[in-house]
Amino acid sequence: MARNHAHGNYSHTQKKARNSGGGRTPADRARRTLSQNFLVDRHAVDLMVKAAGPEGLVLEPGPGEGALTLALAEAGAQVVGYEVDPRLAGRLASRTRSDPRIDIVRRDFTTVRAPREPFAVVGNIPYSITSKIVDWCLRAPALTSATLLTQREYARKRAGGYGRWSLVTVESWPWFSWKLGDTIGRESFRPVPSVDSAILRLQRRPEPLVSGGRSYQELVEVGFGGVGGSVRASLKTRYDGVDTALAAARVSRDTVVGHVHPDQWITLWEHLCR
């Protein structure tokens, strides 16, 4: 979500109410302080629900006024929404008090302990803490999937949309797939942000692609270490047989680390670490 600090989504109006002294209402001040941009496009909400395929327990970072929350519940999920804005949290809690499918908690999602039972995360999240929320999801052992509306550039980078792959994606690839979903234009938000958003989908794999998690992560960290300007130069500082492994993975000797596909990293691990 196009916000810089706290959560909230979906608002029918965004009038800037001013008092006689030229100030702002509490709602305006909160929106400015928390940099909230609310999702106002019902079609975008439907795209999120379709991408998430919600069922069972779903945690929602920043439910705001509840557009996505209600849609997830209507699709069959048991939703727990974590809202840091006390005004929004109170209003949504009152609105959904009689709905057994929804529980609203006034709390920062990133401070929440992950459930032990299987669960998914679905949310329209703030740009500035996107990485923090993604890291939280990747560390949660029982997470099945995360469907996140993020800045489009972030989603493209993580899903390899620029033909390059980030350390976060490569390092988590044996356990999670990353998929770039629909673009949500900036006009779908109020106030209108300066960039478009996109749906980013993380899906836990039924079985990991490697048997040695730590050895794989060490391999990737060495590769991304930046020694010599190529993945070959970096890996040769630690591993024997690098040229044979690169040939098996069909990676050229001068390939820059970001251009190595995550699946090729699996092949490198098979030849260098097993």
Side-chain angles (χ1 to χ4, degrees):
M1 181 176 187
R3 291 174 272 121
N4 291 333
H5 186 269
H7 314 303
N9 67 17
Y10 201 84
S11 173
H12 289 291
T13 61
Q14 292 292 320
K15 295 179 180 178
K16 295 184 177 179
R18 300 175 183 269
N19 61 30
S20 59
R24 302 174 187 269
T25 67
D28 291 326
R29 287 194 294 271
R31 191 176 303 127
R32 181 181 178 86
T33 300
L34 303 177
S35 301
Q36 296 167 329
N37 294 73
F38 299 154
L39 189 62
V40 297
D41 183 2
R42 178 66 200 194
H43 179 60
V45 173
D46 291 341
L47 290 175
M48 282 288 289
V49 173
K50 180 180 179 181
E55 60 180 7
L57 177 61
V58 172
L59 307 190
E60 182 187 3
E65 294 189 352
L68 182 56
T69 313
L70 293 170
L72 291 169
E74 290 167 2
Q78 188 70 36
V79 185
V80 180
Y82 293 93
E83 177 57 63
V84 74
D85 185 326
R87 178 182 60 90
L88 292 173
R91 288 168 55 181
L92 184 55
S94 296
R95 181 183 175 192
T96 60
R97 183 170 291 119
S98 62
D99 192 332
R101 306 168 300 178
I102 298 172
D103 183 22
I104 302 301
V105 180
R106 180 184 166 185
R107 189 170 176 183
D108 180 349
F109 172 79
T110 61
T111 68
V112 173
R113 179 176 295 179
R116 293 183 178 181
E117 64 184 287
F119 72 98
V121 171
V122 183
N124 183 18
I125 64 176
Y127 289 165
S128 67
I129 60 170
T130 296
S131 294
K132 192 173 182 180
I133 290 176
V134 169
D135 289 344
W136 186 100
C137 291
L138 294 174
R139 291 195 307 268
L143 179 83
T144 58
S145 67
T147 307
L148 308 172
L149 187 55
T150 75
Q151 184 177 2
R152 186 170 183 266
E153 182 181 5
Y154 178 93
R156 288 193 66 188
K157 284 181 178 179
R158 294 295 177 262
Y162 293 105
R164 296 179 61 91
W165 299 90
S166 71
L167 173 61
V168 172
T169 304
V170 173
E171 204 166 28
S172 62
W173 190 257
W175 299 274
F176 289 93
S177 63
W178 296 67
K179 180 181 178 181
L180 177 65
D182 291 294
T183 294
I184 306 298
R186 66 196 73 184
E187 68 279 358
S188 296
F189 301 89
R190 296 295 182 274
V192 178
S194 60
V195 295
D196 295 331
S197 295
I199 298 172
L200 178 64
R201 170 83 172 172
L202 285 72
Q203 180 79 42
R204 186 179 294 277
R205 302 184 189 278
E207 296 292 336
L209 301 179
V210 300
S211 58
R214 185 55 199 154
S215 63
Y216 174 83
Q217 291 176 332
E218 288 176 350
L219 173 73
V220 173
E221 289 167 3
V222 171
F224 274 83
V227 177
S230 69
V231 66
R232 176 179 182 268
S234 294
L235 293 180
K236 284 181 74 68
T237 64
R238 177 79 62 87
Y239 300 94
D240 296 324
V242 170
D243 288 340
T244 299
L246 290 172
R250 297 187 178 183
V251 176
S252 300
R253 292 162 63 97
D254 60 349
T255 301
V256 175
V257 65
H259 291 161
V260 180
H261 190 282
D263 286 336
Q264 293 175 307
W265 280 102
I266 303 299
T267 301
L268 292 175
W269 174 83
E270 290 174 343
H271 284 75
L272 297 175
C273 301
R274 294 177 66 178

